[in-house]
């Protein structure tokens, strides 16, 4: 594959043709913030916080959707770029809760990180704010749409899996939000609780129910394990607080169907000191079930009992 050479912040950088300016800059060691960008599903260009200055361009350019070209001259932290990013953060914070002290994503939130980096302490914009009720109808996933920044990462990762596509953007303008069909709660939707959406959420809009209020992010130590419940080999993290496993969380979703509730529940049972109570949907309602039923092992255990006789 042919290469292209461009200059980023005065440094000559050579990358394969077709590489985005974002990847070229990051590969060269330069910081570029992103909210909507998903490496597994690139090319969205919605949040615009990744804008850079490209010499000769009429306006600042979203680096995640701009292709690197020979002779291109890029600045990632010029005064106009920094000012644009500050304004974007300012606008997001205008309709975002400021409960960082009690948010479960405190210390692991991109919006918080960027507000700190660019010294945006409060929003200068005043006006109406959303006041959505927290959706805790699903026993595994908690949704707080007041913290959603409409990056669309959850929508795109969900639609990557055939026959899912559970959520999408609904309504317009100020009322735009991410919702299941008919704007139901998550428990009433076709969601299978795989948590792909939780993995990619950059803020506190989507979190795990079983970890809520149990530890600050900086108190947790993560240890990677591989799920063996099917051939996909999905990667999960054991979340330790001290020597105790508080819960199992998924890592980045793989292609196709990988990440499922069965795999995560199985790992919860194997590793967690206090595993979650397994719940499955029956007659459109979540009900507590036995571990063999949750893991699809009823027939296996029945056969083993028969062999003992």
């Amino acid at each position: 594959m042919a290469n292209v050479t461009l200059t980023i912040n005065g440094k000559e950088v050579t990358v394969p043709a077709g590489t985005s300016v974002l990847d070229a800059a990051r590969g060269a060691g330069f910081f570029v913030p992103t909210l909507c960008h998903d490496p597994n599903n690139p090319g969205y260009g919605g949040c615009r916080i990744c804008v850079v200055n490209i010499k000769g361009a009429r306006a600042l350019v979203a680096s995640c959707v701009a292709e690197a070209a020979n002779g291109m001259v890029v600045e990632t932290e010029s005064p106009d770029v920094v000012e644009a990013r500050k304004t974007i953060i300012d606008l997001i914070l205008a309709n975002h809760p400021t409960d960082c002290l009690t948010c479960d994503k405190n210390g692991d939130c991109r919006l918080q990180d960027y507000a700190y980096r660019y010294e945006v302490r409060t929003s200068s914009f005043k006006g109406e704010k959303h006041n959505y009720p927290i959706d805790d109808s699903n026993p595994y996933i908690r949704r707080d749409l007041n913290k959603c920044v409409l990056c669309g990462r959850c929508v795109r990762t969900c639609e990557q899996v055939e026959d899912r596509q559970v959520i999408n953007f609904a309504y317009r303008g100020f009322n735009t939000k991410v919702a299941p069909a008919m704007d139901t709660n998550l428990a009433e939707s076709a969601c299978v609780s795989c948590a792909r959406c939780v993995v990619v959420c950059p803020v506190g809009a989507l979190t795990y129910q079983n970890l809520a209020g149990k530890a600050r992010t900086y108190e947790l130590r993560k240890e990677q394990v591989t799920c063996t419940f099917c051939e996909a080999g999905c990667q999960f993290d054991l979340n330790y607080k001290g020597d105790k496993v508080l819960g199992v969380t998924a890592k980045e979703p793989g292609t196709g169907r990988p990440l499922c509730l069965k795999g995560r529940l199985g790992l919860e049972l194997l590793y967690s000191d206090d595993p979650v109570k397994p719940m499955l949907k029956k007659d459109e309602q979540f009900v507590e079930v036995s571990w063999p039923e949750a893991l699809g092992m009823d027939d296996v255990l029945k056969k083993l009992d028969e062999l003992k006789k």
Side-chain angles (χ1 to χ4, degrees), residues 71-89:
M72 184 179 280
V73 178
V74 180
E75 290 184 81
T76 65
E77 291 281 345
S78 59
D80 53 346
V81 167
V82 170
E83 186 61 33
R85 290 176 184 165
K86 283 185 174 183
T87 301
I88 292 169
I89 296 168

Side-chain angles (χ1 to χ4, degrees), residues 15-34:
V15 295
T19 301
S20 69
V21 172
L22 172 66
D23 289 339
R26 286 182 168 178
F30 297 111
F31 170 81
V32 180
T34 59

Side-chain angles (χ1 to χ4, degrees), residues 244-297:
K244 182 179 180 180
V245 177
L246 295 184
V248 177
T249 55
K251 292 185 73 67
E252 291 186 0
T255 56
R257 192 169 181 80
L259 286 194
C260 70
L261 178 61
K262 178 180 176 181
R264 188 160 63 87
L265 285 178
L267 294 176
E268 281 272 355
L269 179 61
L270 285 173
Y271 294 105
S272 292
D273 290 79
D274 184 19
V276 298
K277 295 178 180 180
M279 300 187 73
L280 297 180
K281 189 181 286 189
K282 295 184 177 182
D283 297 325
E284 303 303 316
Q285 296 289 328
F286 277 102
V287 296
E288 188 174 339
V289 297
S290 67
W291 278 105
E293 183 178 353
L295 301 179
M297 298 181 65

Side-chain angles (χ1 to χ4, degrees), residues 29 36 50 72 78 85 89 119 124 140 164 181-182 204 234 282:
C36 73
C50 71
M72 184 179 280
S78 59
R85 290 176 184 165
I89 296 168
E119 300 180 336
S124 60
Y140 303 106
R164 288 199 188 165
M182 308 304 294
C234 295
K282 295 184 177 182

Side-chain angles (χ1 to χ4, degrees), residues 206-236:
L206 295 167
T207 52
Y208 290 97
Q209 290 273 33
N210 64 312
L211 290 177
K214 288 187 176 180
R216 315 301 291 178
T217 56
Y218 50 80
E219 295 178 304
L220 296 175
R221 173 174 60 87
K222 295 181 182 290
E223 179 181 310
Q224 184 173 307
V225 293
T226 301
C227 179
T228 58
F229 279 81
C230 77
E231 73 282 359
C234 295
Q235 302 297 306
F236 289 80

Side-chain angles (χ1 to χ4, degrees), residues 57 75-76 85 99 113 147 154 161 170-171 174 203-205 235 296:
E75 290 184 81
T76 65
R85 290 176 184 165
D99 60 346
D113 292 342
K147 297 177 180 176
C154 58
V161 184
Y171 308 108
F174 177 75
V203 291
Q235 302 297 306

Side-chain angles (χ1 to χ4, degrees), residues 135-152:
D135 180 7
D136 57 3
S137 61
N138 183 296
Y140 303 106
I141 300 171
R142 176 187 175 95
R143 291 200 312 156
D144 184 352
L145 292 182
N146 300 298
K147 297 177 180 176
C148 178
V149 294
L150 299 176
C151 67

